[in-house]
Amino acid sequence: MYMLSLFGVIIAQLVVSRAFYLPGLAPVTYCEEGKTTDTCKSVISLYVNKLDSVESVIPYEYHSFDFCVSDESSSPVENLGQVVFGERIRPSPYKISFNKVEECKELCKKSYDPKKPDEMKKLAFLKKGIMLNYQHHWIIDNMPVTWCYDVEGDQKYCSPGFPIGCYVTKESKAKDACVTSAEFHKPDTYYVFNHVDITLTYHSSTDADWGSVVTSGVGGRLISAKLEPKSMKHDPTKKGADACKNAPAMAVPGEDKAKVDIKFTYSVFFQVNNNIKWSSRWDYILDSMPHTNIQWFSIMNSLVIVLFLSGMVAMILLRTLHKDIARYNQMDNSEDAQEEFGWKLVHGDVFRPPRKGMLLSIFLGSGVQIFFMSMITLVFACLGFLSPANRGALMTCSLVLYVCLGTPAGYISARMYKMFGGERWKTNVIMTAFFCPGFVFSLFFIMNLILWAKGSSAAIPFGTLVALLALWFCVSTPLTFVGAYFGFKKRTVEHPVRTNQIPRQIPDQSFYTKPLPGIFMGGVLPFGCIFIQLFFILNSIWSHQMYYMFGFLFLVFVILIVTCSEATILLCYFHLCAEDYHWWWRSFLTSGFTAFYLFIYCIHYFVAKLDIEGAASTFLYLGYTTIMVFLFFLLTGSIGFFACFWFVSKIYSVVKVD
């Protein structure tokens, strides 16, 4: 009943969230020139963002390509998450005024002379970008400028980006990501999208819901920004709108023999639509995401199966345990008590400290830190604070929470290490503060060097890198020390049974009760409950699709916690019944092995779903995947360990031991 109630609350949250916009973002009202007020402006700013590709992990800034640029001194300030994700929002030279139609307005001209190496180098980089299908990402009124086109099933997909051009191979085949046209037929030719038709749709100010903002019907709030990219070779003898009519495609040959002149133009049109409210303006983008209906059905199906399996495992385990405890207590009360057997037989060794207790305590502290970071981030996301409209908020929230949650990491690590009987408390504190974050930062720094060498926008600037180190050393590390101080100051955790001085010999185990088979089997069920959601998460990261199903992600996270706990407890119970009391590391590795299946799935996704080319992009993909898998290993391993620790303490506290 509890899980059904939770499911109902989350579904209600998903439905209600569609009626509200991101908290803290107010609408902007636009008016025609000459009718502006303090609450209404006429200039609509168009910002450009980084360019990325599904065929390369390396994004670039807008000015890295030889496009028309403007003064970037007034660029918006990116938050920490945007900088880490490589977003670089810059002002554009496109001039747009509310309700002012522009047709074939010239932006700039670019010339490439084969006799000038610098110009040809820029042209070669532009061609490479077209070949790798690099995408523009533009922003108007904090909304992505979308490119909508028809897909299979008579549906329309609105992409938050559009390609910079189209490449026709030597076999006269256009790239799949480009718009195919009868004009795009020349082999080994690059077609530059040098013209865009921008259509802005607004909600008129005649709507009485605006209250005091209503301004005699001359204003509006933007509810969509769409464009259609085109390739045009403009006729220099024509001016204005005539220059774009019946213009052939702008073809750039693969061989650099002739001079190339590219003229960039744009048109702006306006439409009125009072049927869509400003608060619902993201719906057309999110609803057009591919496989949305499949995602709903698959998650519901997976949810029912996982809940059923979890209920069955819990019921069997509780019934079996109840019989064991009743039998053990009856034998203790009887005069002719027989020899102990089963999991009660190892009561004198079950709490014997594990080997490598220092490393285990460090992993547990870092795992708890990641757990609370993930939980709090998902709660904020479900409340709408980390929606796609608030760019970079998800990464910023995660980084800040991770830094501020150093205290729980130090506290848990110290408590566990003290329980294991460790005495090198200084080493424990230092390793907790630096081992796991240091491993992640080292990988991140190596990948950042590659991005620096490639001139990518994803390369973290030196100042931001210093800021991240300052957060680590000046905030996270002291908080870890504070947590460790209170952890060591607390009394040692008391176990329900005493530990014998001489360790008991473990009998020969069958194949199914040996450590490795149990560890391999333990991660199957937790992975089974997340792999569907994992596909859409990887799509949002590597295929640049928007992820917004945070309600379902929170639900899947709760199911992951339940399944990791139950799978680990069940296997731990079987091993204890087989008189194998080495459960400390096994409980951590059993649920932590889910990360291994995650890594295998990421490799499968790379091979089967992505078309990434180049050694640098492949290395970066594997590097980012390694970081994600390592953090997931710490998270799931800690969940399984503490569930198993609670279970073992509970069952040995309710049986009578002489």
Side-chain angles (χ1 to χ4, degrees), residues 487-498:
F488 281 114
K489 193 175 181 181
K490 294 277 289 185
R491 293 180 57 186
T492 306
V493 178
E494 296 183 0
H495 301 308
V497 292
R498 294 189 301 271

Side-chain angles (χ1 to χ4, degrees), residues 18 73-74 102 273 388 634:
R18 301 302 291 269
S73 60
S74 60
E102 302 279 2
N273 188 338
L634 297 176

Side-chain angles (χ1 to χ4, degrees), residues 327-328 331-332 337-348 500 504 579 652 655-658:
R327 184 168 66 252
Y328 289 151
M331 289 169 52
D332 288 340
Q338 301 177 3
E339 184 181 356
E340 295 176 346
F341 62 92
W343 56 267
K344 186 182 178 183
L345 189 61
V346 296
H347 65 81
N500 297 333
R504 180 184 179 86
E579 302 179 18
Y652 282 99
V655 295
K656 298 178 181 179
V657 178
D658 293 335

Side-chain angles (χ1 to χ4, degrees), residues 318-389:
L318 290 176
R319 290 189 62 183
T320 306
L321 266 178
H322 180 73
K323 291 180 180 179
D324 287 347
I325 294 171
R327 184 168 66 252
Y328 289 151
N329 289 336
Q330 283 179 357
M331 289 169 52
D332 288 340
N333 292 332
S334 62
E335 297 179 358
D336 53 344
Q338 301 177 3
E339 184 181 356
E340 295 176 346
F341 62 92
W343 56 267
K344 186 182 178 183
L345 189 61
V346 296
H347 65 81
D349 299 276
V350 71
F351 290 106
R352 188 176 303 280
R355 297 177 181 178
K356 306 293 183 182
M358 171 81 77
L359 183 61
L360 180 58
S361 62
I362 293 169
F363 281 174
L364 292 173
S366 298
V368 169
Q369 187 178 12
I370 297 170
F371 173 81
F372 283 113
M373 177 199 73
S374 305
M375 180 64 74
I376 298 173
T377 301
L378 284 176
V379 170
F380 278 114
C382 290
L383 293 176
F385 290 98
L386 306 181
S387 77

Side-chain angles (χ1 to χ4, degrees), residues 474-620:
C474 300
V475 180
S476 180
T477 300
L479 289 176
T480 304
F481 288 173
V482 171
Y485 170 78
F486 287 105
F488 281 114
K489 193 175 181 181
K490 294 277 289 185
R491 293 180 57 186
T492 306
V493 178
E494 296 183 0
H495 301 308
V497 292
R498 294 189 301 271
T499 301
N500 297 333
Q501 293 183 353
I502 302 175
R504 180 184 179 86
Q505 185 176 2
I506 300 174
D508 293 336
Q509 301 292 307
S510 63
F511 175 79
Y512 298 102
T513 56
K514 288 182 179 180
L516 286 180
I519 291 173
F520 271 89
M521 291 186 295
V524 173
L525 186 60
F527 178 76
C529 77
I530 66 167
F531 82 96
I532 296 176
Q533 196 75 4
L534 183 63
F535 172 77
F536 295 98
I537 293 175
L538 292 179
N539 268 351
S540 68
I541 297 174
W542 303 114
S543 296
H544 314 296
Q545 296 181 8
M546 291 186 181
Y547 187 88
Y548 64 99
M549 307 289 282
F550 292 109
F552 278 114
L553 183 60
F554 180 81
L555 188 60
V556 170
F557 184 70
V558 172
I559 296 173
L560 176 67
I561 296 173
V562 174
T563 50
C564 281
S565 303
E566 290 184 347
T568 307
I569 289 173
L570 186 62
L571 290 171
C572 178
Y573 172 74
F574 290 153
H575 287 108
L576 291 177
C577 289
E579 302 179 18
D580 185 355
Y581 51 84
H582 293 309
W583 63 273
W584 299 98
W585 270 106
R586 186 181 296 136
S587 63
F588 185 89
L589 296 175
T590 297
S591 56
F593 205 74
T594 309
F596 173 78
Y597 296 106
L598 170 62
F599 182 77
I600 296 299
Y601 185 83
C602 289
I603 298 299
H604 165 74
Y605 182 85
F606 177 82
V607 174
K609 302 296 181 181
L610 297 179
D611 297 320
I612 290 179
E613 300 178 2
S617 292
T618 302
F619 180 83
L620 290 170

Side-chain angles (χ1 to χ4, degrees), residues 9-82:
V9 170
I10 293 177
I11 291 297
Q13 171 66 31
L14 285 172
V15 175
V16 172
S17 64
R18 301 302 291 269
F20 297 92
Y21 199 58
L22 178 67
L25 289 182
V28 178
T29 306
Y30 295 95
C31 300
E32 297 177 2
E33 288 183 331
K35 300 179 181 179
T36 58
T37 63
D38 293 338
T39 59
C40 191
K41 61 181 184 178
S42 62
V43 177
I44 301 176
S45 300
L46 191 156
Y47 293 96
V48 293
N49 203 343
K50 65 177 181 180
L51 285 84
D52 53 32
S53 170
V54 295
E55 300 179 20
S56 176
V57 182
I58 305 173
Y60 291 99
E61 282 207 52
Y62 182 81
H63 62 242
S64 298
F65 295 89
D66 196 25
F67 298 131
C68 306
V69 296
S70 63
D71 182 17
E72 297 183 352
S73 60
S74 60
S75 300
V77 178
E78 293 98 355
N79 56 42
L80 182 61
Q82 288 177 296

